[in-house]
Amino acid sequence: MKSPCLLLATLCLTMSAAAQTICIAHVNMIDVKKNVTLTDQTIIIDKDRIVATGPGVKVKVPADATVIDGTGKYLMPGMTDAHIHFFQSGGLYTRPDAMNLTAYYPYQQDQEYVKKHLGDLMARYLACGITTVYDVGGPMGNFDIREKANHDTAAPNAWVTGPLVSTYLPQRLDENDPPIVKVTTPEEAKALVQKELPHHPDFIKIWYIVYPGHKADSTLPIVKAAIAESHANGLKVAVHATQYETAKLAVAAGADILVHSVDDAVMDPGMLKLLKDKQVLYIPTLKVMGGYYRAMTQIQPFTTHELAYGDPFVLGTLTDLQHMPGAYDYMGTRASIHFPDKADTIMATNLKLAQQAGVLVAAGTDAGNIGTLHAASFLEDLLAMQEAGLSNYQIIRDATLNAAIGFGKEKDYGSIEKGKIADLILLDKDPVKDLHALGDVSLTIHRGKVFKKEDLLPVTPEILAQQQLNAYNAGNLEAFLAPYSDSVKIYDQTSGQLLLQGKEAMRTSYGKLFKVAPALHCQVVKRIVSGNTVVDEERVTGMQDKVLTAVVIYTIDHNKIIKVAMGM
């Protein structure tokens, strides 16, 4: 029989935080300020605030509290992605200035998808334990998104700015509500900052791009003007400056945040001292270019985490080049581009140097760019920080407290302390020992409300069909099998013959297929969804010179694919 505490925990997990007072008892709590894990801690939450923390024997549990048993589990602050863009989907068609595929898929259609599925995007962040995001530049519509997010408990805290004050204008992006605005004089830079002020931006963003053949200081007066006007109005300034010279000039001019790594030169002691002395927040975004490379070469596989937590339909677009002849020479790009490249090595080196020098570092992904999926990409950036030489404690702090400090939000966010907003995540395993534990959040507590992954990300028959298709194209056997019932049956449509029965039989059969045909690619030519049935017309390439076409009928029950009928 379950203990009363466990019964209460079960009740809590089935009711998305109906209680006003919540107690998390007997949990291992990660103190991100001291880089220690405190055992047998009890945390009391009243409404949206933490009202008490301490050893279980000293903290009195209110009689009306809903108790979550944290025995053997690990509690840490909700995480922060300090660099995202809501106006970008993360899919193949979201940056036509980088890959112009508008002849195949209109850019406006990508934009409409983002707007229509904003609620799902937000839920994915919470499901991944990310309770705060910073959108570092987008259209004026960002301010409406912030308003919605910060009044919706099932969305992360969203701090935003408007259009980037830019020294460069990319082509083919939205001209009606542009995410990036080019300014050519200090006066124009000041005017653009002033235009954003009525919307109460949380900070201002500058895109400090230097044209080839020009000196780094050629547009510095513009940068200085934008920084001065922002600071005069009490706003921090985030700057995109990936070159050593532009980064150094921006920081000397007063930039508060560098939203990317310096990627063209290793930072010297003088630069590191400047960053530390100026208390600049350094956001490395180590993996974003890898997302572009993955799309442009079609060879970097998706992780199991991405396949489980990424928007399956956005993720699915990232392999579309394989059935779009003439759209983009990904085979030629594959032969000419290699990753990780020199810039990746420099970024990793600079991150380690910055962390060692005491520079304030925060985790960020640049989510929304091609191949960098909202929410699902965050874990990969954390693992890249680990590969760069950071300790797990350092990474956990970089993913929580440091962003709050850097953006001036540490009074309410970033650590588990009395008086702070109750943004917490509960984990089954210790992330200090294994960072992969952050990829499987047991539950998220956001503003004092409790959320489970399955409630945040309910599956539909179409989602299941798409998830297994994405995993098939990625050659990821475990992710491919995940949507299937253990007792799934696969039939030949014409004869009715049972071809395979059970997930283990599938594991054997498809495991061999993925090994002998690593270039497998399945295109859905047409899809019909009716109730619990999905009918796909599929075209499969990558099996030597064969092109196979088939109609496949998926039957779903209890959120699993229980039957597949295949007709060639």
Side-chain angles (χ1 to χ4, degrees), residues 367-387:
N369 277 280
I370 295 174
T372 302
L373 299 163
H374 283 285
S377 64
F378 191 67
L379 179 62
E380 291 308 302
D381 250 281
L382 299 186
L383 293 172
M385 294 170 77
Q386 184 185 59
E387 291 175 7

Side-chain angles (χ1 to χ4, degrees), residues 284-342:
T285 63
L286 296 176
K287 298 290 287 185
V288 63
M289 288 312 300
Y292 279 94
Y293 295 158
R294 172 164 60 188
M296 291 176 170
T297 62
Q298 298 287 291
I299 60 173
Q300 189 176 359
F302 301 103
T303 67
T304 300
H305 181 76
E306 288 175 307
L307 291 163
Y309 287 90
D311 180 318
F313 306 105
V314 171
L315 188 151
T317 68
L318 293 169
T319 61
D320 279 1
L321 290 179
Q322 295 182 53
H323 58 257
M324 294 166 57
Y328 184 85
D329 183 16
Y330 67 88
M331 292 299 291
T333 304
R334 184 180 296 184
S336 61
I337 291 183
H338 304 280
F339 51 87
D341 62 10
K342 182 180 179 181

Side-chain angles (χ1 to χ4, degrees), residues 91-110:
L92 187 66
Y93 311 103
T94 204
R95 285 296 297 267
D97 57 318
M99 293 184 71
N100 184 13
L101 299 169
T102 52
Y104 299 85
Y105 191 95
Y107 174 62
Q108 191 57 38
Q109 195 168 334
D110 177 85

Side-chain angles (χ1 to χ4, degrees), residues 174-471:
D174 193 331
E175 296 179 358
N176 297 318
D177 188 8
I180 301 167
V181 175
K182 182 181 178 180
V183 294
T184 57
T185 67
E187 291 73 24
E188 288 180 0
K190 181 178 178 180
L192 182 52
V193 172
Q194 292 173 341
K195 183 179 179 181
E196 294 191 36
L197 293 179
H199 299 275
H200 305 290
D202 296 294
F203 50 93
I204 295 294
K205 167 75 174 293
I206 299 171
W207 217 22
Y208 190 1
I209 307 295
V210 177
Y211 287 91
H214 290 70
K215 293 183 178 180
D217 61 359
S218 61
T219 51
L220 184 59
I222 291 172
V223 174
K224 285 183 174 180
I227 292 174
E229 185 64 21
S230 301
H231 285 175
N233 287 278
L235 296 171
K236 288 178 176 284
V237 179
V239 181
H240 172 124
T242 60
Q243 297 169 314
Y244 178 93
E245 289 300 328
T246 55
K248 189 173 183 178
L249 289 170
V251 172
D256 304 287
I257 302 155
L258 290 180
V259 298
H260 285 288
S261 297
V262 171
D263 65 8
D264 68 336
V266 174
M267 293 191 291
D268 57 32
M271 178 64 166
L272 294 166
K273 185 176 186 301
L274 181 66
L275 292 173
K276 183 179 180 182
D277 291 349
K278 293 278 191 177
Q279 298 181 329
V280 171
L281 181 67
Y282 186 81
I283 306 172
T285 63
L286 296 176
K287 298 290 287 185
V288 63
M289 288 312 300
Y292 279 94
Y293 295 158
R294 172 164 60 188
M296 291 176 170
T297 62
Q298 298 287 291
I299 60 173
Q300 189 176 359
F302 301 103
T303 67
T304 300
H305 181 76
E306 288 175 307
L307 291 163
Y309 287 90
D311 180 318
F313 306 105
V314 171
L315 188 151
T317 68
L318 293 169
T319 61
D320 279 1
L321 290 179
Q322 295 182 53
H323 58 257
M324 294 166 57
Y328 184 85
D329 183 16
Y330 67 88
M331 292 299 291
T333 304
R334 184 180 296 184
S336 61
I337 291 183
H338 304 280
F339 51 87
D341 62 10
K342 182 180 179 181
D344 293 300
T345 301
I346 292 172
M347 288 192 294
T349 300
N350 281 337
L351 171 58
K352 182 66 180 294
L353 290 172
Q355 190 83 54
Q356 290 174 335
V359 175
L360 191 67
V361 174
T365 61
D366 209 354
N369 277 280
I370 295 174
T372 302
L373 299 163
H374 283 285
S377 64
F378 191 67
L379 179 62
E380 291 308 302
D381 250 281
L382 299 186
L383 293 172
M385 294 170 77
Q386 184 185 59
E387 291 175 7
L390 275 60
S391 73
N392 288 0
Y393 267 128
Q394 287 174 327
I395 294 166
I396 291 168
R397 182 182 170 114
D398 293 349
T400 54
L401 181 61
N402 283 1
I405 295 172
F407 281 92
K409 303 288 186 182
E410 69 271 24
K411 179 181 176 182
D412 291 316
Y413 300 97
S415 57
I416 304 175
E417 296 180 83
K418 181 179 178 180
K420 289 197 173 185
I421 296 291
D423 280 356
L424 313 167
I425 57 175
L426 192 65
L427 306 167
D428 291 331
K429 297 180 181 179
D430 184 359
V432 176
K433 292 182 178 178
D434 183 359
L435 207 62
H436 287 88
L438 297 175
D440 187 14
V441 176
S442 178
L443 60 86
T444 300
I445 300 175
H446 179 45
R447 301 179 204 152
K449 303 288 175 62
V450 180
F451 298 93
K452 293 173 65 180
K453 174 193 171 183
E454 51 266 38
D455 296 326
L456 289 164
L457 303 179
V459 296
T460 65
E462 185 176 13
I463 286 174
L464 290 171
Q466 186 66 39
Q467 285 179 331
Q468 62 87 39
L469 174 73
N470 291 341

Side-chain angles (χ1 to χ4, degrees), residues 458-487:
V459 296
T460 65
E462 185 176 13
I463 286 174
L464 290 171
Q466 186 66 39
Q467 285 179 331
Q468 62 87 39
L469 174 73
N470 291 341
Y472 180 96
N473 285 339
N476 188 314
L477 183 61
E478 294 307 314
F480 172 68
L481 294 173
Y484 287 92
S485 163
D486 289 341
S487 58

Side-chain angles (χ1 to χ4, degrees), residues 148-170:
K148 293 175 183 177
N150 292 338
H151 286 86
D152 181 2
T153 309
N157 310 306
W159 311 120
V160 309
T161 188
L164 280 64
V165 182
S166 179
T167 60
Y168 163 74
L169 182 64

